[in-house]
Amino acid sequence: MTSLPVLAAEPSHVLDREIERKAVQAAVWGMPAVNYDLMRQEMLDKTPGKVGQVIYWGRPLDWHNQTLTPNPDALYFMVFFTTKDGPVVLELPPAEAKASFNGNIVTAWQLPLEDAGLLGIDAGKGGKFLVLPPDYKDTVPEGYIPLRSEVNGGYMLFRSNLTSHGDADVKASIEYGKKLKVYPLSQAASPPETTFTDVKDVLFDSTIKWDASLFKHLDRVVQEEPWIARDRIMIDQLKTLGIEKGKPFKPDAHVEKLLAEGVREARALLEAKYDAGFPPFFSDTSRWTFPTYPDLITAAKADFNEPDAYPVDHRGVAYSYAYIGIKRLGAGQFYSISIRDKDGDAFDGARNYRLNVPANVPVQQYWSVTAYDRETHALIKNVDRASRSSQIPELAKNADGSIDLYFGPRVPKGKDTNWVPTDPKRKFELMFRAYGPTKDFFDKKWVLSDVLKAR
């Protein structure tokens, strides 16, 4: 009888490899929750803002806002909430003649609960959105829009739309945004005044930290939130890393080194997938792509409850470069990403580029193009302008109504109003935003050009 071969690997090496492998998996799986907690902790550590209050940026976003791929052409109001002590009311204002908003409400796992605003479920009427705790059994009071969440924590991104970047329009947008209210349902009869904190001058950095600290953020969410049934397979996986509900997360130096190695590998994996690109949007050869993977869009619409699909890897990629979940992508807003020029080369901040935006963009609200740092996916640091949009009346137009935009380290002669600066030492990427896209947009009757190297 032939004897079985003896395994040569030492048990300690096998266990170390197991920790590294599971750290990679946990980092990819936990990316949306880590992303959420990074933003929440930045608010708690850097600003007077608290959970249940509102922080806002009192001017169009600049590089001091280091969240992932934010929109510098709207005023941001952000509310973190928890239903740990009961339902929370997000009372949102109706659209006005010259004021409106686009909003998204998500869980701590960034699962979209609902879109709100002019093109949201309320169709601009506003309303009292009621976030309910997990397994809420009581009757929902009349007059509320119930949002049933699988966890307690979450946040809302409220974009107060701008008519222009002028001081008067910015002031009006702030005043409109301050009409939103946040309070517990238990105090609905006499709601307390909502607290607003302007954080425009804070270096608000919630970019992904690709080191072992990633697991401190993940552990915080694990400790605070109930397990979602579809994620229970991760309970034992995380235990291997030292993350266990009800117990402190205190990895020793050896384990912390292994966790850091796992995070670095997860970063390489997610970056490779992102660099491979998403499906092209405007044509089969367009360098402008969908903002994420089609299967992830489908899964989010289904609340990740499809019986035969759970695109965890694709979700990890998405939340490594962006944040916020959108329930109905394309109804209120649509994004398209370009990481390469027409020749297929990555964008180089030391080079100059030109983008022609054809006339008559099929949108009800506005369009914009924003440049981001390719490595961090945040606004490029230390530049005084991040984007150009149709809200800017001084944009120079061509005879056919199209608009040429320029990207590069130096302003082309006479093109300042149409120029977005880049850092010559950094790579960059572009995002096209369409707010209120119409049917013609999705029928590809209007096609955005690829970006050309400036000769």
Side-chain angles (χ1 to χ4, degrees):
M1 185 175 180
T2 304
S3 59
L4 294 173
V6 177
L7 297 176
E10 294 184 16
S12 61
H13 292 163
V14 172
L15 294 176
D16 282 358
R17 290 200 299 272
E18 180 188 29
I19 291 173
E20 285 189 29
R21 284 196 302 268
K22 290 185 175 179
V24 174
Q25 295 166 358
V28 173
W29 165 79
M31 190 56 62
V34 169
N35 188 324
Y36 153 83
D37 191 60
L38 278 163
M39 292 187 290
R40 184 178 56 159
Q41 295 307 312
E42 195 73 354
M43 175 191 72
L44 295 173
D45 293 343
K46 292 271 194 75
T47 83
K50 296 179 174 58
V51 172
Q53 298 180 357
V54 181
I55 59 172
Y56 73 99
W57 282 261
R59 63 171 176 252
L61 299 186
D62 61 22
W63 64 267
H64 290 86
N65 180 304
Q66 287 286 294
T67 53
L68 304 184
T69 54
N71 180 2
D73 295 295
L75 289 188
Y76 271 29
F77 290 72
M78 185 177 281
V79 180
F80 288 88
F81 56 78
T82 178
T83 60
K84 180 171 59 70
D85 297 321
V88 172
V89 180
L90 303 172
E91 187 173 333
L92 308 182
E96 300 173 2
K98 294 184 178 181
S100 63
F101 75 91
N102 293 289
N104 307 102
I105 306 166
V106 302
T107 72
W109 282 92
Q110 308 214 49
L111 175 71
L113 293 175
E114 197 49 83
D115 304 331
L118 199 62
L119 298 165
I121 191 174
D122 57 304
K125 296 177 182 177
K128 297 178 180 180
F129 290 77
L130 184 63
V131 186
L132 303 171
D135 302 320
Y136 184 76
K137 298 291 193 270
D138 293 347
T139 301
V140 176
E142 289 188 14
Y144 292 88
I145 302 170
L147 306 179
R148 299 189 178 276
S149 177
E150 299 168 306
V151 295
N152 289 306
Y155 70 99
M156 175 180 68
L157 183 62
F158 178 107
R159 306 173 195 82
S160 187
N161 292 322
L162 287 168
T163 302
S164 77
H165 285 222
D167 291 345
D169 286 331
V170 168
K171 181 181 178 182
S173 183
I174 293 172
E175 291 174 352
Y176 175 72
K178 285 188 174 181
K179 293 181 179 181
L180 76 86
K181 299 176 183 178
V182 186
Y183 51 88
L185 178 63
S186 61
Q187 298 180 40
S190 181
E193 186 174 343
T194 300
T195 299
F196 292 84
T197 301
D198 190 348
V199 299
K200 66 178 182 294
D201 294 319
V202 175
L203 180 56
F204 194 96
D205 187 355
S206 63
T207 53
I208 307 298
K209 310 301 184 288
W210 297 103
D211 56 32
S213 70
L214 182 148
F215 293 103
K216 294 180 181 178
H217 294 282
L218 183 57
D219 174 69
R220 187 178 289 109
V221 176
V222 168
Q223 298 301 332
E224 292 176 353
E225 302 296 352
W227 280 103
I228 299 170
R230 62 180 170 272
D231 287 329
R232 289 180 59 82
I233 192 172
M234 294 302 297
I235 295 176
D236 211 41
Q237 303 252 25
L238 294 181
K239 216 183 268 191
T240 303
L241 309 182
I243 296 176
E244 187 174 356
K245 192 176 284 291
K247 295 185 178 181
F249 174 57
K250 293 183 177 179
D252 60 28
H254 178 67
V255 171
E256 189 154 339
K257 181 180 178 182
L258 297 173
L259 294 177
E261 286 295 325
V263 171
R264 281 191 283 272
E265 186 173 339
R267 180 183 191 178
L269 172 65
L270 295 173
E271 171 61 25
K273 288 178 178 289
Y274 180 80
D275 194 61
F278 304 124
F281 179 72
F282 290 102
S283 73
D284 292 342
T285 59
S286 176
R287 298 296 180 184
W288 290 99
T289 70
F290 277 86
T292 188
Y293 305 95
D295 66 338
L296 184 59
I297 296 172
T298 300
K301 287 179 179 177
D303 296 335
F304 288 97
N305 283 326
E306 296 174 289
D308 299 313
Y310 190 12
V312 171
D313 285 4
H314 285 175
R315 186 181 67 177
V317 175
Y319 287 101
S320 69
Y321 74 85
Y323 74 96
I324 202 66
I326 298 174
K327 189 78 170 178
R328 299 171 186 82
L329 182 65
Q333 61 258 18
F334 187 82
Y335 312 128
S336 187
I337 293 172
S338 182
I339 61 174
R340 303 184 190 281
D341 64 23
K342 184 176 179 63
D343 299 326
D345 298 323
F347 293 123
D348 181 352
R351 296 201 62 151
N352 292 306
Y353 299 86
R354 179 175 63 87
L355 167 65
N356 179 260
V357 180
N360 304 315
V361 183
V363 293
Q364 297 173 24
Q365 294 182 341
Y366 69 93
W367 61 263
S368 68
V369 183
T370 307
Y372 300 100
D373 186 292
R374 176 67 179 78
E375 181 180 345
T376 66
H377 308 293
L379 296 174
I380 300 170
K381 286 185 176 180
N382 300 311
V383 300
D384 60 5
R385 179 187 296 170
S387 70
R388 297 282 80 184
S389 82
S390 58
Q391 304 153 311
I392 300 170
E394 62 268 25
L395 281 182
K397 293 185 178 181
N398 300 319
D400 63 357
S402 69
I403 294 174
D404 286 326
L405 300 181
Y406 300 87
F407 305 88
R410 296 172 301 280
V411 57
K413 186 176 180 179
K415 306 295 185 183
D416 180 70
T417 57
N418 292 40
W419 171 63
V420 177
T422 60
D423 183 340
K425 297 180 181 179
R426 310 282 294 179
K427 304 290 186 182
F428 71 96
E429 60 196 7
L430 298 174
M431 181 177 287
F432 177 85
R433 285 180 168 84
Y435 272 82
T438 67
K439 185 174 183 294
D440 283 354
F441 185 89
F442 295 103
D443 288 345
K444 316 295 172 60
K445 293 182 179 179
W446 179 91
V447 174
L448 183 59
S449 311
D450 288 329
V451 179
L452 302 174
K453 295 183 181 75
R455 304 301 178 187

